[in-house]
Every structure is written in C-alpha cells, then in structure tokens.
Amino acid sequence: MIGVESHLREKFIKVRNQSIKLCQPLKPEDYVVQPIVDVSPPKWHLAHTTWFFEQFLLIPNKSGYKVFDDDFSYLFNSYYETVGERVLRPNRGNMTRPGTDEIYKYRKYVDNQMLEFLVRNEINAALSNMLELGFHHEQQHQELLVTDIKFILGHNPLFPEYLTSGKEIPQRSNMDEEYIEVMGGLHSIGHRKNGFHFDNEKGVHNVFLHDFKILNRLITNGEYLEFMENGGYNNFEYWLSEGWEWANGLETNAPMYWHRMDDGWYRFTMHGLKPVIPSAPVTHVSYFEANAFANWKGKRLPTEFEWEAASNGLLEADVNQGNFVENDYLDPIAHQDGNNQMFGDAWEWTSSAYLPYPYYKTAESAIGEYNGKFMINQMVLRGGSCATPKDHIRNTYRNFWHPHLRWQFTGIRLAENI
Amino acid sequence: MIGVESHLREKFIKVRNQSIKLCQPLKPEDYVVQPIVDVSPPKWHLAHTTWFFEQFLLIPNKSGYKVFDDDFSYLFNSYYETVGERVLRPNRGNMTRPGTDEIYKYRKYVDNQMLEFLVRNEINAALSNMLELGFHHEQQHQELLVTDIKFILGHNPLFPEYLTSGKEIPQRSNMDEEYIEVMGGLHSIGHRKNGFHFDNEKGVHNVFLHDFKILNRLITNGEYLEFMENGGYNNFEYWLSEGWEWANGLETNAPMYWHRMDDGWYRFTMHGLKPVIPSAPVTHVSYFEANAFANWKGKRLPTEFEWEAASNGLLEADVNQGNFVENDYLDPIAHQDGNNQMFGDAWEWTSSAYLPYPYYKTAESAIGEYNGKFMINQMVLRGGSCATPKDHIRNTYRNFWHPHLRWQFTGIRLAENI
Amino acid sequence: MIGVESHLREKFIKVRNQSIKLCQPLKPEDYVVQPIVDVSPPKWHLAHTTWFFEQFLLIPNKSGYKVFDDDFSYLFNSYYETVGERVLRPNRGNMTRPGTDEIYKYRKYVDNQMLEFLVRNEINAALSNMLELGFHHEQQHQELLVTDIKFILGHNPLFPEYLTSGKEIPQRSNMDEEYIEVMGGLHSIGHRKNGFHFDNEKGVHNVFLHDFKILNRLITNGEYLEFMENGGYNNFEYWLSEGWEWANGLETNAPMYWHRMDDGWYRFTMHGLKPVIPSAPVTHVSYFEANAFANWKGKRLPTEFEWEAASNGLLEADVNQGNFVENDYLDPIAHQDGNNQMFGDAWEWTSSAYLPYPYYKTAESAIGEYNGKFMINQMVLRGGSCATPKDHIRNTYRNFWHPHLRWQFTGIRLAENI
Amino acid sequence: MIGVESHLREKFIKVRNQSIKLCQPLKPEDYVVQPIVDVSPPKWHLAHTTWFFEQFLLIPNKSGYKVFDDDFSYLFNSYYETVGERVLRPNRGNMTRPGTDEIYKYRKYVDNQMLEFLVRNEINAALSNMLELGFHHEQQHQELLVTDIKFILGHNPLFPEYLTSGKEIPQRSNMDEEYIEVMGGLHSIGHRKNGFHFDNEKGVHNVFLHDFKILNRLITNGEYLEFMENGGYNNFEYWLSEGWEWANGLETNAPMYWHRMDDGWYRFTMHGLKPVIPSAPVTHVSYFEANAFANWKGKRLPTEFEWEAASNGLLEADVNQGNFVENDYLDPIAHQDGNNQMFGDAWEWTSSAYLPYPYYKTAESAIGEYNGKFMINQMVLRGGSCATPKDHIRNTYRNFWHPHLRWQFTGIRLAENI
C-alpha cells in the first residue's frame, strides 16, 4: 500500500503546484476581480480548491484537524448548499480580504496537513476516491484559471501579455478536410474503465446510432472568417431563435477576443493581441455560433454519442504516437497529419443537451451536488482544450456550458448523415 | 377529388368556428391584454391565425386576391423573420387597434375568400398540406387561447368565471398507482403514418431503450400536496440548481393558480376559484417542480422516447373504448379504470431536451421557421391536455416549453429503471 | 346656502360628464392598456376618479351609504397607502375586469348617490373643500386621460385619429420674439386668494428675485428644429450628465411623437400623423431637452418664482380680453398678438425642483398624501397645457414631473439675466 | 512671487502625500475593486488625481512634456467628455492593469514633473487657479478614498480594521439639544472671499429667508435608534414616495454599516465592528432617511440657504477657539460645548435641490464639466465630514448626492419655522 500512498502524495504535490504555476505571471491586482459572473477571481480559485481538501478530506478524516480559519468555509464554498451559507457568486470579486498572501498561507497550511495525513494514514478506497476527485476538481479549476485570466487580461484595453516567452504560435498550413464514416448500430456509451471519472459519465448503456460521417479536424479561423464574410451574422436563417437574439446584442460580429484592425482581424491570445491565424482552429465561439456555422455549411454538429463513438481508441493512439503533448501556447494550433484534433485543442460543442445517463445516480452528501443539479439548459462539449490538464482528458468526459457562453476554448467539429 | 375538397371546407369551417366559440365568454377588455410576454392577447390569436391563411394560402395561390389590410402582416406576424418586420412580441398587448370588431371582420373576409378558393380550385397535395398545417396551427392557438384566457382571468383579483354552466368538475376517487413494465430494445420513434404531423416528429429512427417501468396515471393534487407538506419547496436536494433559484422567487410555494385560504388550498379554474380536488391530476407545474417531485419520490421522469414507446397503441385503444372524449371542464379530472391518462389530461414533462431527430430537415421558406429554431433550452412534453383539441392529439406529438413555464396544463408522470 | 349647493351640483355634473366626453372617441380596447408604467388605462381613470368621491365623500358622510363593490377600493386606489392595499401600478393594464361597462355603472351609481347627497345635505366648508378637491382631482385625471390616450394611439403603428372632426390645426405665422424685463426685489409667491388650490401652492412667502428677462412666447417647433439640425442631440456640452445618457437611449433624436418621413418631419397629433407646423410651440420635450435647448441658445429656463412673478395678472387679462379660450384641437397653436402663451398651451419646464414652500403643511389623513410625498427628483412646470381644463388653470399652480418624462404637453420658455 | 511658488510647491507636496498616506493601511487587493458603481477602486483615485495634473497643468503648460503613458488618458479620465473617450464607470473595477505599482510610478513621474515645473516657471493667476483646483480636486478624492475604502472593507464578511492604532472613539455624553433662532430677511449667499471655491458657489446673490430655528448639533445615534424603535421604517407617513420604495428594498432597517447582534446594534467603523455609541452623530443615512426622521420628529431639514446663514462666522470661531481639529478617528464623535458641529463631523442633508445659483456661469473647456452638468436629481449637503480634509471645508461649499446614497458620512440637522 505504501506505493499507492507515495504515488498519491506525488500526484497531490504536482496538481497543487500546477495551480500556483499558472498564477506566476499574474500581478497582485489580477487575482482579485470578477468582471462577469462566470469568471471567478484567481485568488478565489486558489482558495476554493484548497477548501475542497479541507472540507471533504481533512475535516472528516484527520483526527485533531484544526481549520485554518472558520470564515473560509463561508467565503470559499462555491455552490454546495449542503455545506451551509456562502458568499453569493456575483460578490466573489468584491472580497478583497483575505488577500492573496493569506490564501497562499492557507494553501501551504492545508498542503502540509494533507501531506502529513497522506503519510500517516492508510488510504482506503473511499479516501482514495475522494482524493482523486480533489485532484480532478483542482484540474477543472486550473482550466478555469486559464480562461478566467484570459478574460481578465483580454478585456483590459492594454491587452497585457500573460506568456512573455517570446515563443510564437506556429503558423503551419492546415490539412485537408475529410469526413470519416462511422458505422451505426448499438454503441456502448459511458465510462467503464477503472480510472477516475465523474458521476455524470457513469452508467454504461447502449445507444443506437445511425450511420454518420464526422470531420477529421476542427473548423479553422479561415473557414469561420468565410462564414463571417458571407454575412453569417446577418442572416437569421442559420440561427436558433434565442441565438439570433443573442447575436444581435454582440458588439462585434465575431468570436470573443477578435478585434478588427486596419490591417485585418486580430485575436487576443495569451501572448497578447496577434493576427488571426487562418489555419488554426476557431475557438471562443458559443453554441449559437457553432450551430449557425453548421447550418451555413449545410452540415450539423455531432451528438455527444456520435462524438464518443468516433473518438473510441483515438486518445490512446494519440498518446502512443506522441501526437498528444501538452500545448503550452495555451492556444490551439493548426492540425497535423494523423491526428484528428479530438483532444487537447478545443472543447467541441455537440448537439446533445446535458442530461443524465439512464443509470445515473446522484452521489450521497455534498459531493452529490457536483454534477447532477446542472442538468438543464446546458449543452455537452467533448474533447478537452489546450487549457485542459493532459491527464484530465478522457473520451467519456462530459463538459457542459450554457449555449451563449464562449470564454472557454470552445470550437466546432461538423458531422453529417450518410 | 370533390370529396376531399368538401371535407376540407367542412374541416375549415369547424376549426375556424371553434376559435370564435372559445372567445364567446370574453368581455371586450379580455381580448386586449398581454400580462406576461408568453401570454398573447386573445384578439391577437384570432388575427394571427387568420393571417396565416392569408399569408400562406390566399396570397400565393388565389388569383386576384386583395389583402384585407396592408398593415396586418406587420401586426400579426408572430415570429416569421422571412415574412418581414413585425410588432415585437412584448408590445402585442399595447396594440388596441385594430379592435376586436375589425379582427372579426378580418376573419370573416378571409374565411369567405378561403371558402371561395376551396370551392373553385383543385387542391393539390402541397395546398392540402399547407391547409392542414393551417388547421393545426389554429388548433395550437386554440390551446393557447384557453391557457392565455385562464392566465388573464386567473390573475385578476376578482377571479372571474369563464365557464358559468354550473357543471362542477366531477369528484371521483383515484385509481391505485401501478408501474407498468416496458421491455427495452430498439424502438422506432417518430411519425410514420399518413396523417398530419409537424416537421419535428418526422425522421423515423431507432432508439435503444433499456427496460423501464412507467406509472399508469398522472400524479395527483393529493400526492403533490404531500410533497409540499414534506417541505419539498424548502429542500434544495430535490432541485436543479436553476430550479432552486426559480423556486426561491415564487410568491407561493405551490403550483400556479393555487391559493391558500383559511380552509385549505384552492385553485383557480375555468369555473372560478374552487377547492383543490385531491384525486385530480396536478397541473400548472414547471419542469423544475416536476423534476423535484420525481426526486423526492425517488423516481424520475420518463424520456420522450420511453413515453412514446409506452404509449404505442393506447390512443387508438382509448378512442375505440370511448375513453377518449373531449373534456369540456377545461380541467383534468381523476383517472378512471382502463385508461392511462396519456392523452387529453395534461402535457407531461419528459426528461428529454427538445432537439432535432437524426433525420430532421428544416422545411424551405417561412414554414421552415416553424419548429427547428426553438430547439434550445426547452424540454419536450408529451400527451396533450384538456385544452388540446381532440384531433390535434398524437402519440408522436412533441410539445416543448422552457423549464420554468407553467401556465399550460402541464403535469407529471413518473418512471423508474428496472 | 341653497345656491351654493345647486352650484356644486351643477359643477359636479359638468366635471363628471367631461371625463365621459373625453372617452367618446375610444374603442372598447383603448380603455384597457397601460403601455408604460406612467400611462394608466382610460377605464382606470374613470374608475379611480369615481372611487375618490366614494371613498372621501360618500363613505364618511352619507349615512347608510352602501359601497358599489367591496373590491373596488383595492382595484382603484392609486397611491393612498392610508386607505389600504392596492393593485400595484404596473399591473393596472392587466386588469380586464371589471369591464368598462361595469365602470360606467359604477360612475352612474356614485353620481346618483352624490347628487342625492348634495340635495339632501347641508354642505359645510369641510365638505365643500373636499368636493372641490374631488373636482380638481378629476380634472387632473382629465388631462391625463388626454395624454394617456394620445400615448396609446400614438404608439400604435396605425396612428389612429382621436379627433375626426376634420378641423385642421390653424397654420399661422409666429410673432416675433421679445424678452420682457421683470424687476427684481421681494415678490410674494404662493396662492393667496379664496379659490381652490392644492396644498403645495399654499404658504404665501417672499422670494427675492434679481432682475431678469423672460420670453414673450413659447419656443416653436421651427426653433427646436434648428437646434436639432445644429446637432443639438450630438453635443454633450448642452446636456446635463443624466440627460446625455437619456438622450443616447432615444430611438429618434426629436421630441416624442415626431417621425421623420421622406418629405420632412411629422408629428402624431389627435388628428393623426401631420406635418410639423414650424410656428406652433414645440411640445412633448423632456426637461433634459428643454435645458439642453436653453444652453444651446445661450439662455436659461426661468425659475418657478420668476415665472410666477412674470405671469402676475396675465391670466385675468387673458380672460378679460378673450384671449383665453379652450383650445379644442388638443394641440398648441401658434402665438398671437397680445398673449404671452403662459396659459393653456403647454406646461412650461422651470429650473426649479419640486420642493415644499417654507410654510408647507401636509394635510391630515389620506388627503395628506396628495402632493408632499412626491417632493423629490421632480421639476416644477407652470402654466397649463391645451389638455388642461380651463378652470383648472392658475398662475400659482405647481405641476411636477420627473425630468425624463414627456408624454405630457410640455414646452419651453426661456429667460436670461439682465 | 517666489514666495507664492514655494508655497504652492509645499502645498502640492502635502496634498499629494496625503493621498498616499490614506492608502497605507491597504493590502494590494483593496486597491482594485469597485463593489458598486459609486465606489471607485483606490488605485483609480490615485491615478485619476494624477491624470488631472498631467492633463490640465503639464500637457498645456510644460514645454516638452512627455506623457507618462498614452493609454492613461483613456483609462483615468473620469467624466470629462471634452477630453475624449474613457473607460465606462462601471468597468473601473475590472481594470487590473496598470497595477498599483505602475500607478505609484505614474504619481512619482508626474509629481517630479510638476515640482520641476513649479520651480522653473512663473505661475500666473490662471495657472495658480488651475493648480488650486487640482489640490481641491485631489482633496475631494481623498474624502472618496476614505468612504470607498470603508465601503470595500465594511462589506467584507471579515470586517477588517483600517485603523489599528488601538485608539478608541471617545465615549462622551451628548450636549442638550437647543434650537437656535436665526432672524429672517435678505441674506447674501455664495462665496465672496478671495480663497479657492468651486464654480457652483459663485454668483453672490440675495436670498430672502423667513425667521427660523436650527438645532445646535447633529442628530445622534441614540435619537435615530428611537426613530427605528418607534417603527420609523414601517410607517409610510414619514417617507417620500420614492423613499418608501427605497426603504422597502433595504436588507436591514437601519443606517448603512449597522448590524444587529445578540447584544445590540453594532456599526462597522474604521476600527472594525464596534457597538453603536448613542451620543455620537448618526451617519451613513440617505436623504430619504433624514427626511423621514425629520417628519417623525415634527421638524424639517434646513434649506441650504438657512444652513449657510446659520453657519456664518462659525467656522472662523471654531478655528480660533481650537474647536476645529482634524478628527483622526474617521468617525464623528459626540458634540461638545461651544461647538455646533457644523464642520468636520458629517455632511448634512439640506432640503435644497442642487441647482445653479442665479449668476452661475459654466467655465469654458473641460473644467466647465466640473459641476454644472450634475445639477439634476441631487440634494445639497453642507458642512463637511470627519473624512473631509480640513482646508477643504468652507461654509459656502455645496456638496451634492442623489437622495438614496449613504456611503458618505452623511448626517442630520433639524430646523423649524418660528
């Protein structure tokens, strides 16, 4: 058993450090603000992920554990009604105290306590599962840290750079498009392996699919620009009714972070404001935009079941062939041969609403609030983006967002009937 | 062919008269208002259904047809962007002109023109289809007329009666609950017969279902009252996150139209304010409430596919056994033997989001705006309510509403896994 | 005393009939709606003015009086918190019942009861005062009836005519502008005669004025058009900060009811849509617009004290010279010689906030809610408009509206320092 | 002339340092946020006051001056439309860059440039006036710094202390109330001395006042508590109509920063959460509350003219008698003998709307936007609070706020007619 625990300690240290690493480029002020309700302050993410380990691991399991500060449960609970009152989400950005320093102390305290706990205690299956949930919870927030920081910097008129390494996003030409056939029939959907997964992926079940074709790569900025130049934002025929209303409220008829300059379109990236690269995947589009684009093309978005069926085996292949490396530009890059861009580029909007699988069972206790209660008015995204931690990516992973949101690295893949 | 046309004329007259009949109990003032954006003024319904025949039948097909009034297209177009500008939906209730008299003249004019057209012209398949669409469109608005009138009267502090016949809703005891088993496997879903259907029911396709059980009747007021008395509205565990927020904004923790009086709960009905009948189906609940109730019961709502599979053949049986008669109380009544209450009582919330079927194809032209563009953020309801015209009911019919809405006669049926 | 009572009865009949006369041109639907919160349904005005006599005259004074309907107090109380609960103002337009017929019955019932009361009872000073308040209250609502009806019809895309007499508004040329000098010093302000007046005019007091000049007529449409054509709406320098924000939200940079057509500017009038008459006074401008216009002209608006001082004696002169006749076009007309347009053309925005006079005393009881509680965030208007009943006009009358409102016949007169 | 310039330099250094001193207790996070639109981030205040000197002194007057950063004009312009585009006010709190460090550099740069300029250049009257305006502008923002910091800390559930000196606010008993008579007649109003003043105080003019009495001190917490305990917040009779609506939306029926604890009422102060001191002046009340309190007491608020007349000579007396010392508790303290609490305790709501004086003239250029454009919907406050810099206090000073605002140190003094 010692091997397991040592592995868990290493994993714990690695995951926890990664959150801190992501915040290295920030100035003290960047940690604080919440410019829209969906974007949380970076310091809140740092504290909330820590609170998770304190609340669900240390308090119930470590004997004699003394909470770091009684107020923090109130301050850093995100949405767990079971655990008591909490600061209302829209007010997160007004809480200047505790300061970032204090939160780093909180992290250190809880980390030390956790490591002590992991050394001294036997980690049974339940604990190990909770710990893994803590890792994945933190990884989810790491992705949010990236996208929330991008939002905070990208809406500042100075367009500050987050990555100043000088490394430029590679400009390479795009591969041809190809629609790959997938045979219909009964497909088994849902997570069935031993590894970690959320409750919403559970409940393996059969879904009958009709034959279909799916694109071998993501839609590019260049293709999306064609849609824009063809009046895509001005023709209601392509849009869902609520999407049309949404699009009419946009300041710029383009993906988020695009700016029209004298010499063409630019995008805010983690390296600052840069010209749009036509061969790179389009990102930061809403479901409404993805759906309108598909209609304009005369195609459709895949269902999440089609996507899962089409992706079967591809992640393992990618990993084996070395196609799947972490993309440290924090920006998707053009597609290269032998790789269908299904993982690690952009979250791909599917045409499936986020609903429970047939055998879905809500977990008991606060952890049961994790996923199920969001199963309304959201659409499923599959794949994982350039901001998703590599070992947080699975082909059964069900991400979900409201159809109008686009501050995540969201992209488009098309499908069609045969 | 004469037979067909004569049948169409009769049907036309019958459908058109029914709208007028529904408005008989109204006072002139009741025709005008739009208390919430979802509820349209009755005079608007009368005009809009007429405009449909003018716009899609007479103008394109009747030679020499002179429109009744050029402004009406602007005034009574509901949401067809193809057909040009229109009064924004929230302003319908501020348009006092044209008055109801003028709208009745408009109806008479268009009716005469239509009857003339139906006598003189050969009705080919395309025309006949469009005509049928017009009938069903008008029947949809007849259901809305009932629910919108109920809203207008039911939110008036005087609680005026719509039906003054004196006939009371029958108080009968409720049948036992029974969960009926349905075998899984591949089920064929979608409309495949010759009769009329909307585009959203088309595209027959297979869906694989796992074995399940479904309740033999609707949930009653009495059962819902138990949920209320058990603190159902005060326990977040039963609720979707958006539902919990919605419920916290309610003035009364009860279905719409329920009022707590000194001697118990009352409901506004078409006969005025009446005591709640425990054995009658609960109606006017939102998806949020239906889902919370199911969670409280430890069951779930059926998917629309399960519902369709479970209902196969039942409508025909109902009709044959005389179980299916129009319910002119405009209020659902307690369930009787040999009848599963699947048709004509309440629209039943399913756990399926309103999305296109695999082979869904949007129709060309304005008619293509009919259904597809609403396929986001809405849930499917199946069955048909006491306000639905009898020949508008089909077991493949897909109704859909946003999860917070409940001014329709919406009800609850439960399911469970085996 | 008989003379007094017979006079009061005659006055009662005359005032009450006038409200009905103003509603003659309405269709049943026009009585019902409330397109913005400030505009009440005509049938509500008819009922509310009746409720005033029932509540404040009949119930406390007529022995054995039986209220017409117990619910009406709740339905037709406007803002008197003393008198109990009431329908919230924004919901007035959703109350289709009681219908207009029922309200006419209510009027007849209360009128009969009042006339009976006026015959049989000795009317002491307190009663006589309350009665007069009832008359003036009803006259205020008569002005609102006109402006509310104008709003309802003027925002209908059919632009229906209210007056169909065919009489056109006279087109006559405008008199020259002249700034009349008024000497400063102590001026006595406030109502001091015997006649009727509201509590807010009471408390005669001295105000010291510096010498000033005031324009001999109202600003015309032609002058206002110059302001518009000079970019008046596009230059922030002329505007108050809140006014600039308000103006940026306008759909049309022009007074309310103005529409730009191919051949120039039109205005919706009680005779329908008509070309703007350059020599007629501009109306339907907000305080923000009046103030911006004055700044553009390098002048200012007068204070209410300057206005009152300048108007002293003019009303009597007007009446004696026959200049003051009721204007039944319900639209102000161009200014003619020997008449300063101070009365009966437009309510003139002054630069004075609506605040209590030094000796202002709130009346006891519900009547005390009449004026005082609105003394915040509103500006005083003086004079009286073409919609104001003639015997409701006084030179001490203090009208008041929020600075952004303009559905009343509001106009502009300029002043300057010497 | 050298004397003048050296005095100006000293004053410049003193004023500029004071802003920095006020920010010493802040943590980096406190500088950033804007919890309500009225409260600006402290770092914004530091930058904006600096921008004022750069924009209005250095750029037009210092030859060869190089702006610190071209973007700062856009970022730190507050409301001067003349000077070009600016960040919309509600977004100030989302601008994390430039960081506070950068802003301190900006201050140092501009300060050095200013000092260099003040040494090398002859300061003519126009320059000297602009400089003084800069000082007073910065002092206004110093007061806002205090109140905005109080808001930011006081709405944090941790209630952090700003002043940790340990010095407690002195608890002393309150002086008796006395209503001091002031004789009516013509009073001269407005600033007439040589010293600095804003344009809105200019235009000395006569105002006729009737005899009145005014309270010799501010209303205390104890007196206000009586109003609360007498149901002051639950009786509409005391309230303006808009005030009643406002009060019904309050979470706590008490002044801002009051919290009901088990052992009585507490207030958030700059020393943290402390028990309410009954003898200290009540602060953080809105105009609506001040007015309701006065009505409950059967008194009224003074007009700004009465206040100015009553205060004549008192400031000088205070200064001479040593009564007027800066209160470094940043909280008003109980009233002591020989001191009417007119200066330096709380801004006192008057019953006067903020309007131009008769001879008011807007200054040319951007500086002309300073005051005049806010002359609508605001009430005048007089005196100056414990947060107002001492040499920023004058008895002709006209402060102004919207009637619902109360995050300033606003208090109540009563008056009555004789």
Side-chain angles (χ1 to χ4, degrees), chain B residues 25 27-30 32-35 43 71 74-75 93-101 152-153 155-158 160, chain C residues 25 27-30 32-35 43 71 74-75 93-101 152-153 155-158 160:
Chain B
K27 297 210 173 183
E29 295 80 7
D30 301 327
V32 186
V33 301
Q34 181 179 30
K43 82 183 176 79
D71 289 313
Y74 171 72
L75 285 163
N94 300 329
M95 297 299 106
T96 62
R97 311 287 182 98
T100 306
D101 275 4
I152 291 165
L153 302 181
H155 286 79
N156 188 301
L158 306 179
Chain C
K27 297 210 174 180
E29 295 80 6
D30 301 328
V32 185
V33 299
Q34 180 179 30
K43 82 183 176 78
D71 290 313
Y74 172 71
L75 285 164
N94 299 329
M95 297 298 107
T96 62
R97 311 287 182 97
T100 307
D101 274 5
I152 290 165
L153 301 181
H155 286 80
N156 187 301
L158 305 179

Side-chain angles (χ1 to χ4, degrees), chain D residues 247-302:
Chain D
N248 284 327
L250 288 176
E251 257 182 67
T252 308
N253 284 340
M256 186 178 267
Y257 298 124
W258 287 40
H259 297 268
R260 178 86 210 170
M261 314 290 271
D262 287 345
D263 60 341
W265 284 98
Y266 279 67
R267 290 175 64 216
F268 178 75
T269 72
M270 289 312 217
H271 290 83
L273 205 61
K274 299 285 176 192
V276 162
I277 300 174
S279 60
V282 68
T283 51
H284 299 296
V285 290
S286 68
Y287 178 79
F288 294 131
E289 286 165 307
N291 180 273
F293 179 87
N295 286 336
W296 171 75
K297 268 287 197 198
K299 312 278 181 187
R300 61 176 177 82
L301 301 176

Side-chain angles (χ1 to χ4, degrees), chain A residues 25 27-30 32-33 35 43 71 74-75 93-100 152-153 155-158 160, chain D residues 25 27-30 32-33 35 43 71 74-75 93-100 152-153 155-158 160:
Chain A
K27 298 212 173 181
E29 295 80 6
D30 301 328
V32 186
V33 300
K43 83 183 176 78
D71 289 314
Y74 171 72
L75 285 164
N94 299 329
M95 297 298 107
T96 63
R97 311 287 181 97
T100 307
I152 290 165
L153 301 181
H155 286 80
N156 187 300
L158 305 178
Chain D
K27 298 213 173 180
E29 295 80 5
D30 301 328
V32 186
V33 300
K43 81 183 177 79
D71 289 314
Y74 171 72
L75 286 164
N94 300 330
M95 297 298 105
T96 62
R97 312 287 182 96
T100 307
I152 290 165
L153 301 181
H155 285 80
N156 187 301
L158 306 179

Side-chain angles (χ1 to χ4, degrees), chain A residues 157-171:
Chain A
L158 305 178
F159 295 124
E161 295 174 30
Y162 171 80
L163 298 172
T164 52
S165 66
K167 279 199 299 182
E168 281 298 308
I169 302 158
Q171 295 255 12

Side-chain angles (χ1 to χ4, degrees), chain B residues 119-172:
Chain B
V119 167
R120 297 218 188 132
N121 290 67
E122 199 178 310
I123 306 303
N124 61 23
L127 274 176
S128 165
N129 287 345
M130 185 57 87
L131 204 48
E132 278 235 80
L133 184 60
F135 297 157
H136 283 271
H137 174 256
E138 183 127 3
Q139 287 182 317
Q140 284 186 307
H141 282 276
Q142 283 164 5
E143 176 150 10
L144 290 170
L145 265 173
V146 172
T147 55
D148 293 2
I149 290 168
K150 184 168 182 179
F151 191 98
I152 291 165
L153 302 181
H155 286 79
N156 188 301
L158 306 179
F159 296 124
E161 294 174 29
Y162 171 80
L163 297 173
T164 52
S165 63
K167 277 199 300 181
E168 282 297 308
I169 302 158
Q171 295 254 14
R172 63 185 176 209

